[in-house]
Amino acid sequence: MTGPSLMDSLFQRSIDDLIKALRLTPPGTEAAFVAKAIEEIRREIRSTDPHTKASALQKLTYLHSLHGLDMSWAAFHSVELSSAAAHSHKRTAYLSAALSFNPATTDVILLLTHQLRKDLSSPNVHDVSLALSTLSSICNSDLARDLTPELFTLLSSSKVTVRKKAIATVLRVFEQYPDAVRVCFKRVVENLENSDMGILSAVVGLFCELTENEPRSYLPLAPEFYKILVDCKNNWVLIKVLKIFAKLAPLEPRLGKRVVEPICEIMKTMGAKSLVFECVRTILTSLSEYDSAVKLAVNKVREFLSEDDPNLKYLGLQALAIVAQKDILAVVENKDLVVKALSDSDVNIRFEALRLVMCMVSEDNVMEICRILISHALKSDPEFCNEILGFILLTCGRNYYEVVFDFDWYVLFLGEMARVPHCQKGDEIATQLIDIGMRVKDARSQLVNVTRELVIDPALLGNPFMHAVLSAAAWVSGEYIKLSRNPFEIIEALLQPRTSLLSPSVRAIYIHSAFKVLMFCVYSYLKLNGEESSLPSTLTDSELVSDVELDDHNMIVTNGQAPSASSITHHLTQESLLALVNLVEINLGPLAGSNEVEVLERSTNVLGLIKLIKPMLLGSLNDCEGDQTKGELKASETVKMIFDSCSEDLGPVSVNAQEKVPIPDGLVLKENLDDLEEICGDIKLPVLTSFSLVRPQFAETSNSAECQGKDESELSTGSTSLLAEHRKRHGLYYLSPGNTVTTSNDYPPAHDPKDMAIDEDEDLAKLTEKSLLTGKKPSQSKPRPVVVRFDDGEVTNAATNRTEIKAGLISGAVNEVLLGDEATTSSSSRRKPPKSRRAAEDSNVSITEYKSDASKIDQSEHSKAGLGGSKHNGHGKERRRRSSGKDKEHDRKDKHKSDSAAYGKHRSRHRADKAVEAQAPVIPDFLL
Amino acid sequence: MGIRFVLMVNKQGQTRLAQYYEYLNIEERRALEGEIVRKCLTRNEQQCSFVEHRNYKVVYRRYASLFFLVGVDNEENELAILEFIHLLVETMDRHFGNVCELDIMFHLEKAHFMLEEMVMNGCIVETSKANILSPIQLLDKAS
């Protein structure tokens, strides 16, 4: 590569040439063109002629910024050019640095320190402001540390532009180098009283950012902010001040009382929507205890919602979402508009509206709202449809179906949701179907009806999104087959040919459910025969019979209806049962050769069982002989045992159950398993849980279901007794009536004729209004079914979630500056004995609120000292400390400070006295 | 930090100006720009000007063939940002006289300088058009 020559400078392409050429390049060849241009730039940028260099850098910056080209290699050239004499070259250099340097990794930044210092102290305003802009974008901790003195000087510059930019830069410097706060903070605070809008805007913007992280430190400045709030007429500044108060007001109740008036005034009189909205947001987030203000704000929100402007509509909905957390009535008042927004053309608005609608859900209106939402879901695009379904599932399932009183309705509704054409929420629906089955006994009969509809519909098998739901439905059908009206129909459905479309894991569940159903039929048949005593020889043991009956009573969940088992007996004849067994055998026969291990295993189990019971059935058909009777007896016993182990009720198990079991002495769990891990670390275990049980608390239950399934297949004769024994021994981990939460309440029946009439949104509005306003529940009374839940588990999980607040370095320094160094010593408590006790109390409060050591100290300081005085006192202290080891820069500063410190001391005494009288720990009373 | 980035993008989705107030490397920038542009450019005039993306809120406005997109954090006042965009466009209008895409392309540096005068460190520091433009006019005079 040749060095830069005169020719290069003479015939250099300008940035305009480059852009024009780029525009003319045919698509596709752009990359080649850019590569060539970079080649040129690499040559030109090494030129000693600043003009050539600047032009090259300009081109490079352009390519970097808009075409995403790497220019980190040219970082040094930016530094080099920044010392150019011409202001325009300097600008180019600084801009390229600002756009491309990475403060964390670009090492040549350090080389820029000297040039920046020179420019910051330059008499040329433009050089200074240029340097400040650059510093604010590339500042790292080294630059911040080295340039703090220059910045400190600029903070009191007489030139407005410079001072404004210095203030804006300070934020970045504080972040990188918190010690700078000690030096600069007071000057920044002084600017709060400046009348120039540019300066005020910058300084208020700075405090707005600072208060975001650690608002408590800035409480002492509340009087200054208050003055700006009342006096300032600039909307930009007012918006920022409002944001500051939104952070401060919750910390100090008397402050809220003070600012609520002027904020309402602004809201009423100002025309600018942005400002009005900020007032609304401030009131709703931070001043929600002032009812009249909230009312005013909600009225404004209503105005926003009624406008045609989609922006205002969106923001109005967001504002309502803030209210919804505290005062749901305010949302209900506007629900007509919210429901209308559900059909807006903008998906963002629809989404916000949906969130609000779900906030409104209560036990009284959940049915109506869900009905409206599902009709919206059917109308909307797939994405939003699923959004709606997801919200419904989330809201209804929240906190153990808190809002659901009528589970019959909810179970039906789940089935309905599963059939919504775009539904992709199958997993969640499946989880809830199983969960309700296990938790809510009274809902089981309806649940069986719903799942029957799902299982017997061959059309659903073709939809892969339905498979999760179907697997849950199959499981429920098998598990609660006692409640089914027609087990034959279920078993046919479970074995229908189209089940081949299912995934193997789901299919395994289908087969296993079929197994349970078959077991149930055979058992019922045997029992029937036993009762009729038509074949006394088959069940000679009378004990067995009574046992069966007794068991039967326990097993079948009586629901106030006639036990549906009796209905089965009508068509339970030997022929029909045999036909059933044959059907199963024919359908499962081919599957015994399946490649899928789960499918294979399950079908082999069933076939094995059939082999066992078939002779018995055949035998009883042809008048049996002696040895056959013996075999039959054995078979019937087996059947009974399998059935018993199947019928053992599965309940939810607490997540903490395992932890409660003490580990026996001498049991080493970890080491052996570690070895195992080594051996079969890369072997993938077959997926056992075929329902996708999303929520962790169900995982254990499903495992136990699987284990049980295995027990059955092994035909372990002692399983029932083992289970019973286990239950006796570890009774406390099982569900006992005492452990369940019984919420007795009234709820309307699922198919209230009155509900049928409600289809339109307006009706929803009317109905929800009625139910919410009267606060009464519909007259039909029926106790809410018991929802089984544990009191431990989830609660402790939630409690462990403790957020830790990082002790902010900046706020620590701010406190030091504002409140004095006493924070670290405890001398002040000696000086002001009468207040020390209250200080201690306050610090306790702050511990509970904050859990942050830094703020604890701060707070106790707040309470001890009045605002203004301590601030200036602090400087007195700080001066003494700093002046010991610092350069002349500080000496100059000190002169200024000592004046203010003297002044401050005078004021502080004055204020501190007042504070004692009024019991005002934080903000002096001259304001409040 | 209130404003996180300012983007100007044409109808075809090409970036015409990109100013970030926090450091992102080139890949991150390209990815972010691509995603946001895809999200915003498909929206029509009847839809609202706010889009949530990752942890940003993007406030955008279309002027003729150019989209102005401003990424802000969640605390920022969206309507104020819309006003800010309008102010930026008016300022450019005053300087270039009915600003168009080409003006910004060929005077990218100047556009950056204007932004620099208005926003520092993500905070809006100047809202007077005359104040914003005075250093740029001086620069023009000098060259």
Side-chain angles (χ1 to χ4, degrees):
Chain A
M1 203 193 284
T2 55
S5 64
L6 185 64
M7 291 300 277
D8 283 330
S9 328
L10 278 177
F11 297 102
Q12 185 187 24
R13 245 203 272 241
S14 74
I15 174 111
D16 286 8
D17 298 336
L18 177 80
I19 297 167
K20 276 178 199 152
L22 253 178
R23 279 165 59 80
L24 291 175
T25 11
T29 58
E30 199 184 86
F33 178 82
V34 169
K36 201 164 148 269
I38 287 284
E39 199 58 40
E40 279 172 22
I41 290 167
R42 272 181 192 276
R43 216 162 347 110
E44 293 160 9
I45 207 165
R46 288 189 289 159
S47 160
T48 44
D49 171 34
H51 186 78
T52 312
K53 200 180 188 72
S55 189
L57 198 58
Q58 220 171 11
K59 287 191 278 182
L60 188 57
T61 311
Y62 180 89
L63 291 175
H64 165 78
S65 178
L66 300 189
H67 293 265
L69 246 85
D70 175 50
M71 66 173 286
S72 54
W73 55 271
F76 182 71
H77 296 289
S78 303
V79 175
E80 218 176 21
L81 193 67
S82 68
S83 56
H87 182 74
S88 61
H89 294 163
K90 201 188 273 293
R91 248 179 203 274
T92 305
Y94 275 136
L95 180 67
S96 72
L99 289 178
S100 72
F101 283 11
N102 179 355
T105 59
T106 307
D107 38 12
V108 296
I109 285 183
L110 279 181
L111 301 177
L112 209 53
T113 315
H114 177 66
Q115 187 57 40
L116 278 172
R117 182 176 290 143
K118 214 167 124 191
D119 286 332
L120 286 175
S121 342
S122 152
N124 182 342
V125 183
H126 298 294
D127 282 351
V128 179
S129 70
L130 189 57
L132 282 170
S133 302
T134 312
L135 183 62
S136 78
S137 48
I138 62 166
C139 188
N140 60 19
S141 54
D142 293 327
L143 276 184
R145 189 190 56 229
D146 296 339
L147 297 175
T148 297
E150 278 73 23
L151 201 57
F152 175 78
T153 318
L154 292 177
L155 280 176
S156 54
S157 162
S158 58
K159 284 148 193 148
V160 170
T161 357
V162 171
R163 206 199 289 198
K164 174 182 78 186
K165 290 196 172 185
I167 293 167
T169 313
V170 151
L171 175 66
R172 187 68 186 254
V173 173
F174 282 3
E175 276 167 11
Q176 297 293 330
Y177 179 61
D179 281 347
V181 174
R182 295 198 177 83
V183 181
C184 301
F185 196 69
K186 204 183 118 249
R187 286 224 170 150
V188 173
V189 172
E190 279 166 2
N191 281 306
L192 275 175
E193 279 155 22
N194 202 296
S195 58
D196 181 85
M197 273 314 137
I199 291 178
L200 202 58
S201 169
V203 73
V204 170
L206 167 71
F207 277 108
C208 184
E209 297 302 320
L210 287 174
T211 41
E212 197 116 306
N213 301 324
E214 188 63 60
R216 193 169 285 275
S217 310
Y218 304 93
L219 264 181
L221 293 173
E224 275 84 354
F225 296 139
Y226 180 77
K227 217 154 49 188
I228 296 172
L229 178 72
V230 179
D231 296 339
C232 187
K233 293 281 167 278
N234 182 315
N235 290 352
W236 299 92
V237 175
L238 281 175
I239 287 172
K240 292 284 175 188
V241 169
L242 283 168
K243 283 186 182 299
I244 294 173
F245 277 117
K247 289 279 180 305
L248 297 186
L251 302 173
E252 172 56 58
R254 294 173 313 138
L255 186 61
K257 212 161 112 195
R258 186 79 185 178
V259 295
V260 71
E261 199 57 34
I263 293 179
C264 286
E265 199 52 42
I266 293 173
M267 191 160 61
K268 272 185 262 181
T269 53
M270 287 295 186
K273 287 277 193 296
S274 53
L275 185 57
V276 171
F277 180 69
E278 199 55 51
C279 291
V280 167
R281 190 146 62 179
T282 307
I283 288 174
L284 296 183
T285 48
S286 307
L287 301 165
S288 53
E289 63 267 37
Y290 300 94
D291 289 336
S292 60
V294 170
K295 210 166 161 213
L296 202 63
V298 172
N299 277 341
K300 282 284 174 195
V301 170
R302 196 175 169 84
E303 277 174 33
F304 278 19
L305 287 176
S306 327
E307 298 221 19
D308 283 334
D309 185 350
N311 291 339
L312 294 181
K313 233 185 262 180
Y314 178 80
L315 293 176
L317 291 171
Q318 282 205 327
L320 274 189
I322 304 172
V323 199
Q325 297 155 8
K326 289 158 183 160
D327 176 15
I328 193 69
L329 270 180
V331 184
V332 175
E333 278 167 27
N334 293 297
K335 80 193 133 331
D336 49 336
L337 294 171
V338 175
V339 171
K340 208 174 120 207
L342 267 183
S343 26
D344 198 276
S345 66
D346 184 352
V347 67
N348 291 4
I349 291 178
R350 286 204 301 259
F351 190 73
E352 289 295 324
L354 176 61
R355 264 206 275 216
L356 271 176
V357 170
M358 293 328 285
C359 285
M360 284 193 266
V361 170
S362 74
E363 59 207 40
D364 301 308
N365 58 21
V366 60
M367 288 197 247
E368 292 77 23
I369 288 186
C370 287
R371 190 163 303 123
I372 299 300
L373 285 180
I374 202 140
S375 70
H376 270 286
L378 287 166
K379 282 185 284 186
S380 349
D381 54 300
E383 193 192 352
F384 191 60
C385 166
N386 278 299
E387 213 62 74
I388 292 180
L389 296 180
F391 264 105
I392 295 176
L393 288 166
L394 193 72
T395 311
C396 292
R398 193 173 49 208
N399 204 5
Y400 305 103
Y401 313 97
E402 194 175 47
V403 295
V404 179
F405 267 61
D406 183 348
F407 277 94
D408 286 355
W409 160 78
Y410 186 57
V411 166
L412 272 173
F413 189 67
L414 281 175
E416 203 179 318
M417 278 201 276
R419 286 166 184 268
V420 169
H422 301 300
C423 174
Q424 292 170 16
K425 296 283 172 190
D427 289 347
E428 182 57 23
I429 295 175
T431 311
Q432 293 202 355
L433 283 175
I434 294 173
D435 192 40
I436 291 174
M438 287 190 294
R439 287 183 194 273
V440 192
K441 274 192 177 176
D442 293 357
R444 283 179 193 165
S445 70
Q446 184 66 21
L447 189 62
V448 168
N449 289 339
V450 169
T451 53
R452 172 190 166 272
E453 298 292 325
L454 291 170
V455 172
I456 64 172
D457 189 346
L460 298 179
L461 287 162
N463 178 0
F465 290 117
M466 279 297 287
H467 287 181
V469 180
L470 288 177
S471 78
W475 183 83
V476 168
S477 308
E479 186 66 18
Y480 305 114
I481 187 67
K482 286 159 291 196
L483 302 171
S484 167
R485 289 186 194 288
N486 190 352
F488 287 17
E489 169 186 82
I490 300 285
I491 211 162
E492 275 170 43
L494 289 173
L495 296 171
Q496 60 185 298
R498 272 174 73 92
T499 53
S500 59
L501 296 169
L502 294 168
S503 66
S505 56
V506 178
R507 204 159 187 206
I509 292 172
Y510 264 68
I511 297 167
H512 191 68
S513 299
F515 169 78
K516 285 185 195 166
V517 179
L518 177 66
M519 222 54 248
F520 173 75
C521 294
V522 175
Y523 176 74
S524 308
Y525 166 75
L526 286 177
K527 202 188 74 184
L528 193 68
N529 284 352
E531 276 167 358
E532 284 171 356
S533 316
S534 60
L535 286 166
S537 55
T538 51
L539 290 166
T540 42
D541 197 351
S542 61
E543 248 180 52
L544 185 66
V545 178
S546 64
D547 196 26
V548 170
E549 270 172 353
L550 204 127
D551 254 317
D552 200 25
H553 258 277
N554 287 342
M555 301 304 159
I556 291 174
V557 183
T558 47
N559 219 8
Q561 314 160 341
S564 37
S566 63
S567 63
I568 305 158
T569 54
H570 291 303
H571 31 96
L572 245 189
T573 61
Q574 215 158 20
E575 287 82 5
S576 63
L577 194 60
L578 203 60
L580 185 72
V581 170
N582 284 331
L583 175 80
V584 176
E585 202 173 11
I586 289 164
N587 278 301
L588 292 186
L591 291 181
S594 166
N595 285 333
E596 294 296 334
V597 66
E598 273 295 303
V599 174
L600 175 113
E601 183 138 325
R602 306 266 164 197
S603 35
T604 322
N605 285 341
V606 181
L607 292 173
L609 179 84
I610 288 174
K611 214 185 257 171
L612 186 72
I613 57 174
K614 213 169 179 188
M616 172 185 83
L617 293 172
L618 287 170
S620 59
L621 207 61
N622 325 322
D623 226 324
C624 48
E625 310 221 336
D627 55 334
Q628 261 182 328
T629 315
K630 211 171 152 193
E632 200 179 307
L633 177 64
K634 207 173 139 207
S636 65
E637 264 176 30
T638 317
V639 167
K640 179 188 171 293
M641 279 162 183
I642 298 175
F643 178 76
D644 281 358
S645 63
C646 275
S647 321
E648 194 61 60
D649 221 6
L650 281 179
V653 178
S654 162
V655 256
N656 294 344
Q658 186 65 47
E659 291 167 21
K660 283 183 181 169
V661 180
I663 299 170
D665 290 337
L667 178 64
V668 186
L669 287 172
K670 228 179 168 181
E671 287 168 22
N672 292 339
L673 283 176
D674 280 348
D675 291 348
L676 206 66
E677 186 70 25
E678 234 168 67
I679 297 162
C680 47
D682 46 8
I683 298 172
K684 258 196 180 170
L685 292 168
V687 185
L688 285 181
T689 43
S690 313
F691 326 115
S692 30
L693 294 160
V694 183
R695 295 194 231 164
Q697 62 257 43
F698 305 131
E700 263 176 74
T701 333
S702 70
N703 281 344
S704 67
E706 290 296 333
C707 294
Q708 208 171 354
K710 277 190 181 156
D711 284 348
E712 291 154 19
S713 54
E714 282 163 16
L715 302 177
S716 70
T717 46
S719 60
T720 324
S721 59
L722 272 176
L723 259 173
E725 202 185 320
H726 189 264
R727 185 184 275 259
K728 214 188 284 168
R729 276 228 312 260
H730 301 288
L732 75 149
Y733 311 125
Y734 281 90
L735 295 171
S736 64
N739 211 6
T740 60
V741 174
T742 313
T743 328
S744 175
N745 228 326
D746 304 342
Y747 76 97
H751 304 293
D752 196 319
K754 148 182 108 181
D755 296 348
M756 294 308 186
I758 303 150
D759 278 318
E760 291 309 308
D761 302 353
E762 294 76 45
D763 290 319
L764 162 78
K766 228 182 288 163
L767 217 139
T768 48
E769 192 163 70
K770 199 176 70 190
S771 51
L772 270 158
L773 287 184
T774 56
K776 267 191 256 157
K777 281 151 198 155
S779 53
Q780 289 93 342
S781 63
K782 184 173 159 191
R784 183 183 190 229
V786 174
V787 181
V788 176
R789 56 184 279 192
F790 294 98
D791 291 337
D792 53 343
E794 285 78 0
V795 182
T796 49
N797 278 355
T800 54
N801 217 348
R802 178 176 293 177
T803 51
E804 274 187 53
I805 299 167
K806 246 184 18 186
L809 282 168
I810 296 180
S811 64
V814 167
N815 277 301
E816 220 171 284
V817 174
L818 279 179
L819 303 162
D821 288 358
E822 299 99 305
T824 46
T825 68
S826 59
S827 59
S828 65
S829 61
R830 256 182 285 124
R831 267 193 282 136
K832 297 171 189 169
K835 274 195 274 176
S836 62
R837 207 180 57 195
R838 212 185 61 236
E841 279 165 20
D842 278 350
S843 73
N844 282 341
V845 169
S846 80
I847 294 166
T848 51
E849 281 172 8
Y850 262 78
K851 300 178 173 66
S852 140
D853 292 358
S855 68
K856 175 177 68 188
I857 299 166
D858 303 342
Q859 170 64 8
S860 65
E861 270 321 300
H862 275 286
S863 51
K864 277 177 222 152
L867 139 80
S870 59
K871 179 173 80 189
H872 295 286
N873 265 346
H875 272 278
K877 281 249 170 184
E878 185 228 317
R879 173 176 56 90
R880 253 170 279 151
R881 227 186 35 166
R882 288 203 80 83
S883 57
S884 58
K886 273 280 170 173
D887 50 302
K888 57 181 193 286
E889 192 58 48
H890 287 280
D891 290 336
R892 237 193 303 150
K893 170 180 75 190
D894 282 348
K895 202 179 281 174
H896 174 81
K897 264 197 203 156
S898 56
D899 295 341
S900 68
Y903 170 61
K905 262 175 199 154
H906 170 69
R907 277 211 308 197
S908 86
R909 216 174 302 128
H910 186 63
R911 286 184 197 169
D913 294 343
K914 277 200 169 181
V916 181
E917 286 160 27
Q919 298 277 306
V922 179
I923 300 166
D925 268 346
F926 72 90
L927 167 68
L928 298 167
Chain B
M1 197 182 287
I3 298 176
R4 309 283 206 85
F5 58 80
V6 177
L7 294 177
M8 298 181 199
V9 177
N10 70 7
K11 261 194 311 198
Q12 289 77 41
Q14 291 164 307
T15 310
R16 287 298 172 224
L17 180 145
Q19 171 76 57
Y20 291 86
Y21 295 98
E22 61 191 344
Y23 184 80
L24 295 176
N25 66 34
I26 293 174
E27 289 75 37
E28 290 168 333
R29 288 182 191 192
R30 300 213 102 173
L32 184 74
E33 283 166 28
E35 289 161 22
I36 289 177
V37 164
R38 247 195 313 282
K39 258 192 187 172
C40 293
L41 264 57
T42 51
R43 294 170 61 82
N44 63 34
E45 297 279 328
Q46 282 80 47
Q47 298 179 327
C48 71
S49 311
F50 317 122
V51 173
E52 281 177 31
H53 182 73
R54 299 207 210 160
N55 48 348
Y56 302 111
K57 210 180 294 176
V58 180
V59 180
Y60 73 94
R61 203 161 185 166
R62 184 179 168 174
Y63 289 87
S65 67
L66 213 53
F67 284 82
F68 289 71
L69 308 115
V70 178
V72 296
D73 58 22
N74 273 324
E75 296 292 319
E76 199 54 66
N77 184 311
E78 296 88 341
L79 294 172
I81 295 298
L82 276 180
E83 284 172 39
F84 162 76
I85 294 177
H86 194 65
L87 175 70
L88 177 63
V89 174
E90 279 182 345
T91 312
M92 288 182 163
D93 258 353
R94 184 185 279 194
H95 185 78
F96 296 113
N98 210 357
V99 66
C100 68
E101 195 185 327
L102 282 179
D103 289 324
I104 294 169
M105 273 184 82
F106 283 102
H107 302 96
L108 186 66
E109 256 189 3
K110 261 185 220 165
H112 272 293
F113 295 155
M114 285 180 210
L115 257 183
E116 232 168 53
E117 292 296 321
M118 296 174 78
V119 183
M120 271 186 75
N121 221 346
C123 296
I124 296 168
V125 289
E126 186 57 73
T127 51
S128 138
K129 273 170 257 175
N131 287 354
I132 296 165
L133 290 176
S134 69
I136 292 150
Q137 281 155 356
L138 263 173
L139 203 69
D140 277 358
K141 248 181 246 167
S143 61

